[in-house]
Amino acid sequence: MATFTVTLQGTTPTAIGGTDKIKFAGPTGFDDPILVGEYNDTTHGANSGNAEISGGNSPNNVKFISQAGGTAGDSQGDWGSGTEDLDQITNAEATLKLNFSDALSVNVSNWNFFVYDGTNEANGPANLDIRAAEVGDPNWTQCEGSGSALSLSDSVAAATSHDRYVPISISPTVFDTSYTFEMKFSLTYQ
């Protein structure tokens, strides 16, 4: 049976279940808002009741810095050591680990990741700037809505388990007390 697993990476990984949330916050932690025009300083896992499930796991936080300010026009981010070119991030430093597994050895292609308003997959969430990349990408993708999906790499060989690593960063564009959206992953396997 084919399964998707989403893990919020950190000192100890936090599995994100179907009703769990990934919460992006300001510098002081779980309930600290992100200011308009700024990007997340901390990342957390939360259950459906909005209680933290990642406490003590020190989830990886990746913060958008610039779209093209790095070497040769590379995007930049900060994942704990100051500003670096995005293509320097490692698998272990990315925010999310996405795993697709199947009992059979399969190839994976057409793997896409995007966020949407929770109702219509074509619509990005209102009043949010959401950037993501696959580890190794030189630039961020503004992955808001199915038409702007981040394309993840195809598998090089058939296997029973396929991992992809995704840094993600979020900024509000207008003041609000809470924003919600959904993430979607899709792929073809054979």
Side-chain angles (χ1 to χ4, degrees), residues 117-141:
D117 65 6
T119 303
N120 183 332
E121 292 180 4
N123 296 335
N127 305 319
L128 287 174
D129 177 8
I130 302 176
R131 311 286 176 125
E134 181 176 8
V135 165
D137 287 350
N139 296 103
W140 294 100
T141 296

Side-chain angles (χ1 to χ4, degrees), residues 16-173:
I16 302 298
T19 60
D20 293 334
K21 306 171 190 176
I22 299 171
K23 186 171 181 178
F24 299 91
T28 63
F30 188 75
D31 286 322
D32 191 24
I34 304 168
L35 300 178
V36 172
E38 295 188 12
Y39 290 83
N40 51 292
D41 287 298
T42 60
T43 304
H44 310 270
N47 64 22
S48 60
N50 208 36
E52 185 163 12
I53 59 172
S54 59
N57 295 351
S58 301
N60 294 350
N61 185 72
V62 180
K63 182 176 184 172
F64 173 87
I65 299 295
S66 78
Q67 186 61 30
T71 307
D74 285 358
S75 291
Q76 296 175 304
D78 181 351
W79 46 92
S81 300
T83 300
E84 297 182 59
D85 285 358
L86 184 62
D87 61 3
Q88 297 304 302
I89 195 168
T90 66
N91 290 345
E93 295 168 324
T95 314
L96 302 175
K97 176 183 175 183
L98 312 177
N99 175 268
F100 174 79
S101 61
D102 192 86
L104 302 173
S105 188
V106 297
N107 283 305
V108 175
S109 60
N110 303 315
W111 193 332
N112 291 306
F113 165 79
F114 62 91
V115 296
Y116 67 102
D117 65 6
T119 303
N120 183 332
E121 292 180 4
N123 296 335
N127 305 319
L128 287 174
D129 177 8
I130 302 176
R131 311 286 176 125
E134 181 176 8
V135 165
D137 287 350
N139 296 103
W140 294 100
T141 296
Q142 200 164 359
C143 58
E144 300 159 15
S146 56
S148 301
L150 169 65
S151 179
L152 303 172
S153 59
D154 293 344
S155 33
V156 222
T160 57
S161 183
H162 301 268
D163 295 330
R164 299 296 181 271
Y165 298 88
V166 176
I168 184 170
S169 188
I170 293 177
S171 173
T173 58

